[in-house]
mmCIF file of all heavy atoms in Angstrom:
data_model
loop_
_atom_site.group_PDB
_atom_site.id
_atom_site.type_symbol
_atom_site.label_atom_id
_atom_site.label_comp_id
_atom_site.label_asym_id
_atom_site.label_seq_id
_atom_site.Cartn_x
_atom_site.Cartn_y
_atom_site.Cartn_z
ATOM 1 N N PHE A 249 -83.564 -3.591 53.409
ATOM 2 C CA PHE A 249 -82.868 -2.427 52.849
ATOM 3 C C PHE A 249 -83.653 -1.175 53.190
ATOM 4 O O PHE A 249 -84.834 -1.056 52.859
ATOM 5 C CB PHE A 249 -82.712 -2.548 51.334
ATOM 6 C CG PHE A 249 -81.810 -1.495 50.750
ATOM 7 C CD1 PHE A 249 -80.436 -1.677 50.731
ATOM 8 C CD2 PHE A 249 -82.335 -0.311 50.248
ATOM 9 C CE1 PHE A 249 -79.593 -0.709 50.216
ATOM 10 C CE2 PHE A 249 -81.503 0.668 49.732
ATOM 11 C CZ PHE A 249 -80.125 0.472 49.710
ATOM 12 N N HIS A 250 -82.988 -0.244 53.838
ATOM 13 C CA HIS A 250 -83.612 1.020 54.229
ATOM 14 C C HIS A 250 -83.358 2.043 53.133
ATOM 15 O O HIS A 250 -82.211 2.402 52.860
ATOM 16 C CB HIS A 250 -83.026 1.497 55.564
ATOM 17 C CG HIS A 250 -83.774 2.629 56.183
ATOM 18 N ND1 HIS A 250 -83.144 3.732 56.725
ATOM 19 C CD2 HIS A 250 -85.106 2.834 56.346
ATOM 20 C CE1 HIS A 250 -84.053 4.563 57.204
ATOM 21 N NE2 HIS A 250 -85.252 4.043 56.988
ATOM 22 N N SER A 251 -84.423 2.515 52.503
ATOM 23 C CA SER A 251 -84.300 3.330 51.292
ATOM 24 C C SER A 251 -84.075 4.811 51.559
ATOM 25 O O SER A 251 -84.024 5.610 50.622
ATOM 26 C CB SER A 251 -85.561 3.169 50.434
ATOM 27 O OG SER A 251 -86.701 3.623 51.156
ATOM 28 N N GLY A 252 -83.951 5.194 52.817
ATOM 29 C CA GLY A 252 -83.739 6.603 53.130
ATOM 30 C C GLY A 252 -82.965 6.774 54.411
ATOM 31 O O GLY A 252 -82.252 5.871 54.855
ATOM 32 N N ILE A 253 -83.110 7.941 55.012
ATOM 33 C CA ILE A 253 -82.474 8.245 56.295
ATOM 34 C C ILE A 253 -83.564 8.651 57.279
ATOM 35 O O ILE A 253 -84.459 9.436 56.940
ATOM 36 C CB ILE A 253 -81.442 9.380 56.141
ATOM 37 C CG1 ILE A 253 -80.205 8.864 55.398
ATOM 38 C CG2 ILE A 253 -81.039 9.951 57.494
ATOM 39 C CD1 ILE A 253 -79.126 9.909 55.197
ATOM 40 N N ASP A 254 -83.500 8.106 58.499
ATOM 41 C CA ASP A 254 -84.444 8.469 59.550
ATOM 42 C C ASP A 254 -83.815 9.511 60.463
ATOM 43 O O ASP A 254 -82.690 9.332 60.952
ATOM 44 C CB ASP A 254 -84.837 7.243 60.374
ATOM 45 C CG ASP A 254 -85.737 6.289 59.602
ATOM 46 O OD1 ASP A 254 -86.266 6.703 58.552
ATOM 47 O OD2 ASP A 254 -85.898 5.135 60.048
ATOM 48 N N MET A 255 -84.555 10.595 60.683
ATOM 49 C CA MET A 255 -84.085 11.692 61.525
ATOM 50 C C MET A 255 -85.054 11.826 62.698
ATOM 51 O O MET A 255 -86.181 12.294 62.541
ATOM 52 C CB MET A 255 -84.015 12.984 60.704
ATOM 53 C CG MET A 255 -83.196 12.827 59.424
ATOM 54 S SD MET A 255 -83.328 14.228 58.275
ATOM 55 C CE MET A 255 -82.341 15.451 59.133
ATOM 56 N N ALA A 256 -84.620 11.378 63.868
ATOM 57 C CA ALA A 256 -85.487 11.369 65.048
ATOM 58 C C ALA A 256 -85.447 12.724 65.750
ATOM 59 O O ALA A 256 -84.378 13.328 65.911
ATOM 60 C CB ALA A 256 -85.050 10.268 66.003
ATOM 61 N N CYS A 257 -86.612 13.190 66.157
ATOM 62 C CA CYS A 257 -86.705 14.478 66.850
ATOM 63 C C CYS A 257 -88.070 14.573 67.526
ATOM 64 O O CYS A 257 -88.868 13.626 67.485
ATOM 65 C CB CYS A 257 -86.508 15.632 65.879
ATOM 66 S SG CYS A 257 -87.694 15.646 64.537
ATOM 67 N N ALA A 258 -88.339 15.702 68.121
ATOM 68 C CA ALA A 258 -89.592 15.880 68.857
ATOM 69 C C ALA A 258 -90.786 15.906 67.908
ATOM 70 O O ALA A 258 -90.703 16.438 66.793
ATOM 71 C CB ALA A 258 -89.535 17.175 69.657
ATOM 72 N N ARG A 259 -91.886 15.323 68.360
ATOM 73 C CA ARG A 259 -93.122 15.361 67.590
ATOM 74 C C ARG A 259 -93.534 16.820 67.346
ATOM 75 O O ARG A 259 -93.448 17.666 68.237
ATOM 76 C CB ARG A 259 -94.225 14.639 68.358
ATOM 77 C CG ARG A 259 -95.517 14.422 67.566
ATOM 78 C CD ARG A 259 -96.588 13.820 68.468
ATOM 79 N NE ARG A 259 -96.126 12.598 69.101
ATOM 80 C CZ ARG A 259 -96.239 11.380 68.584
ATOM 81 N NH1 ARG A 259 -96.805 11.236 67.391
ATOM 82 N NH2 ARG A 259 -95.800 10.324 69.246
ATOM 83 N N GLY A 260 -93.952 17.118 66.125
ATOM 84 C CA GLY A 260 -94.390 18.467 65.789
ATOM 85 C C GLY A 260 -93.296 19.352 65.210
ATOM 86 O O GLY A 260 -93.569 20.485 64.792
ATOM 87 N N THR A 261 -92.050 18.851 65.168
ATOM 88 C CA THR A 261 -90.950 19.632 64.587
ATOM 89 C C THR A 261 -91.252 19.952 63.119
ATOM 90 O O THR A 261 -91.738 19.102 62.374
ATOM 91 C CB THR A 261 -89.621 18.852 64.681
ATOM 92 O OG1 THR A 261 -89.317 18.618 66.061
ATOM 93 C CG2 THR A 261 -88.487 19.617 64.038
ATOM 94 N N SER A 262 -90.947 21.171 62.701
ATOM 95 C CA SER A 262 -91.227 21.590 61.321
ATOM 96 C C SER A 262 -90.322 20.864 60.329
ATOM 97 O O SER A 262 -89.126 20.670 60.578
ATOM 98 C CB SER A 262 -91.028 23.097 61.175
ATOM 99 O OG SER A 262 -91.983 23.807 61.938
ATOM 100 N N ILE A 263 -90.918 20.481 59.189
ATOM 101 C CA ILE A 263 -90.195 19.823 58.094
ATOM 102 C C ILE A 263 -90.191 20.775 56.905
ATOM 103 O O ILE A 263 -91.230 21.341 56.549
ATOM 104 C CB ILE A 263 -90.869 18.498 57.695
ATOM 105 C CG1 ILE A 263 -90.960 17.556 58.896
ATOM 106 C CG2 ILE A 263 -90.119 17.834 56.542
ATOM 107 C CD1 ILE A 263 -91.851 16.344 58.643
ATOM 108 N N TYR A 264 -89.026 20.930 56.259
ATOM 109 C CA TYR A 264 -88.885 21.849 55.131
ATOM 110 C C TYR A 264 -88.485 21.079 53.866
ATOM 111 O O TYR A 264 -87.874 20.005 53.942
ATOM 112 C CB TYR A 264 -87.828 22.910 55.427
ATOM 113 C CG TYR A 264 -88.191 23.813 56.581
ATOM 114 C CD1 TYR A 264 -87.914 23.441 57.895
ATOM 115 C CD2 TYR A 264 -88.831 25.034 56.357
ATOM 116 C CE1 TYR A 264 -88.259 24.262 58.966
ATOM 117 C CE2 TYR A 264 -89.181 25.860 57.418
ATOM 118 C CZ TYR A 264 -88.896 25.466 58.718
ATOM 119 O OH TYR A 264 -89.249 26.280 59.769
ATOM 120 N N ALA A 265 -88.823 21.643 52.716
ATOM 121 C CA ALA A 265 -88.391 21.050 51.446
ATOM 122 C C ALA A 265 -86.868 21.083 51.376
ATOM 123 O O ALA A 265 -86.242 22.085 51.736
ATOM 124 C CB ALA A 265 -88.990 21.814 50.272
ATOM 125 N N ALA A 266 -86.275 19.990 50.911
ATOM 126 C CA ALA A 266 -84.817 19.903 50.842
ATOM 127 C C ALA A 266 -84.250 20.594 49.605
ATOM 128 O O ALA A 266 -83.051 20.861 49.533
ATOM 129 C CB ALA A 266 -84.382 18.439 50.856
ATOM 130 N N LEU A 267 -85.116 20.883 48.630
ATOM 131 C CA LEU A 267 -84.711 21.548 47.393
ATOM 132 C C LEU A 267 -85.962 22.158 46.771
ATOM 133 O O LEU A 267 -87.065 21.649 46.958
ATOM 134 C CB LEU A 267 -84.080 20.526 46.431
ATOM 135 C CG LEU A 267 -83.456 21.046 45.134
ATOM 136 C CD1 LEU A 267 -82.220 21.884 45.420
ATOM 137 C CD2 LEU A 267 -83.083 19.877 44.214
ATOM 138 N N ASP A 268 -85.797 23.250 46.054
ATOM 139 C CA ASP A 268 -86.949 23.858 45.384
ATOM 140 C C ASP A 268 -87.613 22.851 44.449
ATOM 141 O O ASP A 268 -86.934 22.024 43.820
ATOM 142 C CB ASP A 268 -86.511 25.072 44.565
ATOM 143 C CG ASP A 268 -86.000 26.212 45.434
ATOM 144 O OD1 ASP A 268 -85.986 26.053 46.669
ATOM 145 O OD2 ASP A 268 -85.616 27.247 44.871
ATOM 146 N N GLY A 269 -88.931 22.920 44.340
ATOM 147 C CA GLY A 269 -89.632 22.001 43.454
ATOM 148 C C GLY A 269 -91.133 22.186 43.531
ATOM 149 O O GLY A 269 -91.631 23.204 44.023
ATOM 150 N N THR A 270 -91.855 21.170 43.055
ATOM 151 C CA THR A 270 -93.314 21.196 43.032
ATOM 152 C C THR A 270 -93.849 19.948 43.717
ATOM 153 O O THR A 270 -93.371 18.832 43.452
ATOM 154 C CB THR A 270 -93.837 21.238 41.582
ATOM 155 O OG1 THR A 270 -93.299 22.393 40.926
ATOM 156 C CG2 THR A 270 -95.355 21.303 41.548
ATOM 157 N N VAL A 271 -94.826 20.114 44.590
ATOM 158 C CA VAL A 271 -95.425 18.975 45.283
ATOM 159 C C VAL A 271 -96.170 18.123 44.255
ATOM 160 O O VAL A 271 -97.090 18.598 43.584
ATOM 161 C CB VAL A 271 -96.394 19.446 46.387
ATOM 162 C CG1 VAL A 271 -97.073 18.244 47.047
ATOM 163 C CG2 VAL A 271 -95.655 20.288 47.425
ATOM 164 N N SER A 272 -95.758 16.865 44.122
ATOM 165 C CA SER A 272 -96.405 15.987 43.138
ATOM 166 C C SER A 272 -97.459 15.093 43.773
ATOM 167 O O SER A 272 -98.426 14.705 43.112
ATOM 168 C CB SER A 272 -95.364 15.126 42.419
ATOM 169 O OG SER A 272 -94.682 14.291 43.340
#
Side-chain angles (χ1 to χ4, degrees):
F249 189 85
H250 191 225
S251 61
I253 288 180
D254 288 346
M255 307 170 74
C257 58
R259 189 186 305 271
T261 299
S262 294
I263 302 169
Y264 296 85
L267 186 67
D268 294 0
T270 302
V271 177
S272 61

